[in-house]
Amino acid sequence: MLVRRLGQAVVTMLIAVLAIFVAVRALPANPVIAQFGQHAVPEKIEKEMEERGWNKPLWQQAIAFAGQMAQGNLGESFARPGEKISTRLSQAVPATLELTFAAMLIAIPLGVVVGTIAALWRNSWPDWISMAIALLGVSIPVFFLAICLIAAFPAMPTGSRLPPGTIHDLHTEFYFFESLLTGKFQLAALSARHLVLPSIALSTIPLAVVSRVTRNSMLEVFDADYLRTARAKGASLLRVIVRHAFPNASLSVLNIVGFQLGMLLSGAILTETVFNWPGLGRYVVDAIRDYDYSVVQACALVLAGIFVTLNLTLDVLFLVFDPRLREASRS
């Protein structure tokens, strides 16, 4: 089963590469003309088109593009000649990953607790309040919430990952994780402070979705006979939930968490733009504004790769947690 999933992941990535290539080439504006402006010398545009290979037939461009991707060569920026896209991505992707994981660190525990409380006291005021909070989380646009948070907490930092002028000797762009793991707790605290507002804004939608899915999954499990048996034997409510109910309800939660994680990685554009967070979302927005198509297609490929990797990881986790799938894969 795992081998079949790996094969599907490879095919999905090949289709993604082809679809992204076609979509970028179908866009109306020419990035080379956008780079030099409307009054550029035609010979200069032709020379740039020749160097970039954009004057070749589409099928030749597609083969060259696939070859570059196979070698891990994402090319150079159109808007900023000489700037390697992979270098900028190596800075932007860690920033987005840290922001996304911080948001999920808020959303998952709170969503599970709120959903469990709603299921325990279904059709009563804790259930109504919990679901109202969930509905509110889904309904409020992220950009509006982000603006409100900035206005409500003006003392909290925005616009960077560390205070301006901070000198550090970190070796990766994972500022928070590396400083935490290497014992630089003061630097980790500074980084965490910059993560607070963006991660709160980004966590509202997954928190609402996780709480609703947890509630529905728990309601299905609570009616099972083995839970009534456990309660009849004198097991405490906490033990029944933690030991018996949640493990059986966790597969649905795990599925939606993986999906939301992928959505957050690709959907952090609004949050990063409002908070001026130097991540993948803001990099894409800047590239679209500058008609920098080479950056747009590289970012789209990175996001496709992240989605495929997440789905593959979820399949592995399902095999670990669900004995029925393990038995099915063996047979």
Side-chain angles (χ1 to χ4, degrees), residues 69-292:
M69 294 306 104
Q71 296 170 7
N73 179 14
L74 298 175
E76 292 183 358
S77 165
F78 270 112
R80 289 168 283 277
E83 179 185 282
K84 287 192 173 298
I85 297 172
S86 55
T87 303
R88 283 295 305 275
L89 283 175
S90 67
Q91 299 167 351
V93 171
T96 297
L97 284 176
E98 282 201 339
L99 175 59
T100 302
F101 281 106
M104 293 306 284
L105 201 61
I106 297 171
I108 294 175
L110 278 180
V112 169
V113 170
V114 170
T116 304
I117 290 173
L120 271 176
W121 288 281
R122 63 178 129 176
N123 299 326
S124 60
W125 65 268
D127 185 15
W128 299 331
I129 293 176
S130 301
M131 290 304 99
I133 293 173
L135 183 62
L136 202 63
V138 173
S139 304
I140 297 178
V142 172
F143 70 90
F144 178 73
L145 178 62
I147 293 171
C148 291
L149 286 172
I150 292 173
F153 302 98
M156 294 299 289
T158 59
S160 61
R161 301 179 63 193
L162 287 172
T166 302
I167 299 174
H168 61 79
D169 55 351
L170 300 176
H171 297 93
T172 70
E173 295 295 326
F174 291 95
Y175 291 172
F176 176 72
F177 291 126
E178 185 182 343
S179 54
L180 194 65
L181 291 174
T182 53
K184 298 168 182 170
F185 299 117
Q186 189 174 1
L187 197 59
L190 287 175
S191 178
R193 195 160 181 264
H194 283 249
L195 276 167
V196 171
L197 292 187
S199 58
I200 288 175
L202 198 60
S203 67
T204 52
I205 292 178
L207 192 156
V209 175
V210 169
S211 64
R212 292 188 72 88
V213 171
T214 302
R215 177 186 182 273
N216 293 337
S217 301
M218 284 293 194
L219 284 178
E220 292 176 5
V221 175
F222 282 162
D223 293 331
D225 292 337
Y226 65 90
L227 285 190
R228 282 195 289 271
T229 304
R231 290 289 288 165
K233 286 183 174 180
S236 66
L237 181 60
L238 182 63
R239 179 178 173 78
V240 168
I241 292 173
V242 174
R243 182 70 178 83
H244 301 288
F246 186 70
N248 288 286
S250 61
L251 286 178
S252 300
V253 179
L254 183 64
N255 191 22
I256 200 65
V257 165
F259 179 72
Q260 287 296 315
L261 190 59
M263 292 297 292
L264 283 189
L265 286 169
S266 59
I269 292 176
L270 285 176
T271 307
E272 291 186 359
T273 302
V274 174
F275 285 101
N276 202 19
W277 186 259
L280 190 59
R282 207 185 77 186
Y283 189 35
V284 172
V285 170
D286 292 343
I288 294 172
R289 186 192 57 207
D290 298 335
Y291 297 102
D292 200 344

